[in-house]
Amino acid sequence: MDAAPPRTVPRSPRAEATRQRILDAALAEFAARGLAGARVDDIALRSGANKRMLYAYFGSKEDLWLTVLETAYEAKRAEERALHVGDLPPADAMARLVRFNLRYTARHPEFVSLLNQENIHRAAYLSRSERVRAMYSPLLGTLSDVLARGAAAGVFRQGVDPMQAYVTIVAIGHFYVANMHTLSTIFGTELGAEPALEAREAHCVEVVLGWLRP
């Protein structure tokens, strides 16, 4: 691997635009080819920047991979925060969170690809990120509040672990999208079509709310 010079922080709008182009190009290359298969030359070519600039802004290819991961997680959390589930009745809040996670995953197959690749690496790069861990503490706090309000209102059972609840919510959507092509082939139906997504969405909401019922 080429040696990477110390990273610099873009200061001008033009420099920031170049940095964003590199990030966008890296996301596309990493999602398509993974960390091992993506080449810095191809990322630079796709972004219209040169390798020197890429290394100046991000360091090594591995550092760029981690930045892409962090940015992808941050984008999802930003949309999750915009749901304002704390302002909704508990059952509505939970249903909105379930729908969002399925639909977000379906809209962003590149996010699925990045997570699958990072799991192949056993989260070796994500484990370096304090930034991502910090994003999820407020989420679990919000979910804890929804669960507590639901239990107090008698619509949710007591003692639900918010982390387990969130993992379940994410999993039932992520598995569907991550395996959409194989499942569509096996069952002979296009699971990415809107009617199929609507059916899956309704099923996911029913499963989660049924599990939470006292």
Side-chain angles (χ1 to χ4, degrees), residues 66-171:
L66 178 55
T67 302
V68 167
L69 273 178
E70 290 176 330
T71 303
Y73 272 105
E74 192 170 64
K76 183 170 187 263
R77 282 295 295 120
E79 290 197 29
E80 234 162 11
R81 286 192 299 271
L83 299 175
H84 298 296
V85 295
D87 300 333
L88 298 174
D92 292 344
M94 199 61 64
R96 179 175 288 186
L97 192 59
V98 172
R99 293 189 187 99
F100 166 78
N101 273 278
L102 173 66
R103 292 293 181 160
Y104 187 92
T105 309
R107 291 198 313 272
H108 296 279
E110 74 283 358
F111 187 61
V112 175
S113 296
L114 292 175
L115 267 59
N116 288 348
Q117 283 290 320
E118 183 62 8
N119 275 287
I120 289 172
H121 294 289
R122 297 181 179 271
Y125 302 98
L126 193 64
S127 64
R128 293 161 40 191
S129 177
E130 293 293 334
R131 181 177 162 193
V132 171
R133 283 192 289 273
M135 292 176 200
Y136 280 81
S137 294
L139 171 64
L140 291 184
T142 298
L143 192 54
S144 296
D145 175 68
V146 171
L147 290 167
R149 289 192 292 113
V155 296
F156 294 161
R157 60 189 176 86
Q158 300 280 348
V160 175
D161 183 332
M163 186 195 75
Q164 293 293 348
Y166 186 72
V167 170
T168 296
I169 288 167
V170 172

